[in-house]
Amino acid sequence: MHIGIVGLGLIGGSLALDWRRAGHQVIGVSRQAQTVAQALEQGIIDAGSTDLALVSSCRVVVLCVPLHQMLAVAQAVCPHLHPDAILTDVGSVKAPFVQALTPLWPGFIGGHPMAGTAEQGIAAAQMGLFRQRPYVLTPTPQTRPDHLACLKELVAQLEAKVILCEAETHDRAVAWISHLPIWVSAALIGAYAQEPDPCVSQLAQQLASSGWRDTTRIGGGNPELGVGLAECNREYLLRGLRRYQTELHRLIQLIEAQDRPALTAYLQHTQQVRQQMTIPP
Ligand code: NAP
């Protein structure tokens, strides 16, 4: 099958690598000629260009551009699509794009592979990135069953696990487990960065270990992605941040009051909630 990837970065490049390995012809379009050249040189794509017209032969076209570019790129690509083409995206927020793109292209199905790294750009693309990871698809009642079946098969070839859900439900769920943690982690780094004593800050760096590494990894990632999430999933991210603020406020009060039983009960509760969550590996 001819698959078009628009936006050759971490996610677009990684999809291209896996689908090419599965035997598909992968056509890549990106903004910069040097990115296309690099993708060709590294065998990530079969053919490439900065011209969106190149995807006109593709049965499936995947938009892998940053969130703030998604709508404009979708509008620009639609005139080039084969009439029977399936258009999908990998954006980390779904409802605004499903609402905007479905009227634009009836063969649009929202998608979100739940995998990534803190890196960005074509150099960060890697084979097997989506293996054993959830890959969300958000079909609507208007979605053609054969289109959905085709996308599910392509996702299966990534060895990812397909999860079907409504776009809005997706956005509410990822606000908790992905978008809120990014901003909480960023705030943690921001708070540390305000330590006024350079000796303390330097010693903290020397002593930092897995706890700091785990809790700050996502706050130190791609700024374009985090800002895109704050813009596109604003309502649910704000809900999460406000709830988090309330919890922090409560914890400050308990620690100030040296309320050992309440603090213990709090951590016992969070320990239990965490243990009961079945988090994919
Ligand atoms: P990325 O590494 O920065 O890649 C995006 C690529 O899009 C850039 O390399 C850029 O290529 C290209 N691009 C930008 N504007 C373009 C345009 N107007 N036309 C064509 N290409 C354009 O970002 P990413 O992490 O892959 O994220 C891409 C999408 O995946 C986002 O929508 C994000 O929400 C979603 N996503 C990200 C993750 C993650 O963890 N990173 C996980 C799941 C989903 P040039 O080099 O040519 O400028």
Side-chain angles (χ1 to χ4, degrees):
M1 185 189 298
H2 281 211
I3 301 175
I5 305 279
V6 180
L8 294 169
L10 166 68
I11 300 296
S14 301
L15 287 173
L17 279 166
D18 279 3
W19 281 329
R20 201 162 178 242
R21 184 180 50 176
H24 299 288
Q25 282 277 316
V26 179
I27 315 293
V29 176
S30 213
R31 179 176 49 182
Q32 300 183 71
Q34 67 189 55
T35 302
V36 176
Q38 194 178 338
L40 282 166
E41 208 174 277
Q42 292 179 6
I44 295 173
I45 54 174
D46 293 283
S49 173
T50 54
D51 183 355
L52 286 168
L54 199 71
V55 302
S56 58
S57 65
C58 296
R59 172 85 207 283
V60 174
V61 174
V62 190
L63 304 175
C64 302
V65 297
L67 291 171
H68 71 280
Q69 301 265 353
M70 198 67 83
L71 199 50
V73 172
Q75 280 164 339
V77 83
C78 280
H80 301 290
L81 294 177
H82 183 278
D84 202 31
I86 301 167
L87 182 65
T88 185
D89 74 323
V90 297
S92 310
V93 181
K94 295 276 53 82
F97 300 115
V98 172
Q99 273 158 25
L101 299 191
T102 309
L104 213 61
W105 192 260
F108 174 78
I109 302 177
H112 180 202
M114 300 293 303
T117 71
E119 309 299 318
Q120 66 188 105
I122 191 68
Q126 53 179 270
M127 220 176 253
L129 182 67
F130 311 101
R131 192 174 292 139
Q132 297 307 314
R133 303 298 309 152
Y135 195 122
V136 176
L137 294 175
T138 61
T140 67
Q142 283 74 44
T143 299
R144 274 175 44 179
D146 61 322
H147 280 180
L148 182 59
C150 175
L151 267 195
K152 281 167 83 173
E153 173 56 29
L154 285 178
V155 170
Q157 289 170 4
L158 303 169
E159 296 177 52
K161 294 182 259 184
V162 179
I163 292 185
L164 301 182
C165 68
E166 284 186 358
E168 181 104 10
T169 315
H170 163 275
D171 292 354
R172 291 172 65 179
V174 292
W176 284 122
I177 54 82
S178 176
H179 305 173
L180 177 63
I182 288 173
W183 286 97
V184 166
S185 173
L188 180 59
I189 300 170
Y192 156 77
Q194 288 175 51
E195 165 56 50
D197 185 338
C199 290
V200 171
S201 139
Q202 181 123 33
L203 182 62
Q205 260 189 63
Q206 284 173 330
L207 301 180
S209 183
S210 56
W212 178 257
R213 199 177 298 119
D214 291 349
T215 48
T216 55
R217 182 179 58 81
I218 49 177
N222 178 355
E224 195 170 39
L225 182 64
V227 173
L229 300 174
E231 286 172 344
C232 298
N233 205 16
R234 184 167 168 269
E235 185 189 336
Y236 295 121
L237 174 62
L238 280 175
R239 259 194 222 185
L241 280 169
R242 289 197 184 106
R243 168 52 54 194
Y244 185 64
Q245 192 177 35
T246 306
E247 294 298 294
L248 280 181
H249 187 65
R250 189 169 157 213
L251 287 178
I252 288 169
Q253 284 177 331
L254 294 180
I255 293 169
E256 276 176 351
Q258 300 185 27
D259 189 340
R260 195 168 208 280
L263 285 168
T264 305
Y266 191 94
L267 286 183
Q268 280 170 343
H269 172 65
T270 55
Q271 185 182 47
Q272 199 183 20
V273 172
R274 180 71 167 72
Q275 279 169 356
Q276 282 169 358
M277 281 183 86
T278 44
I279 304 165

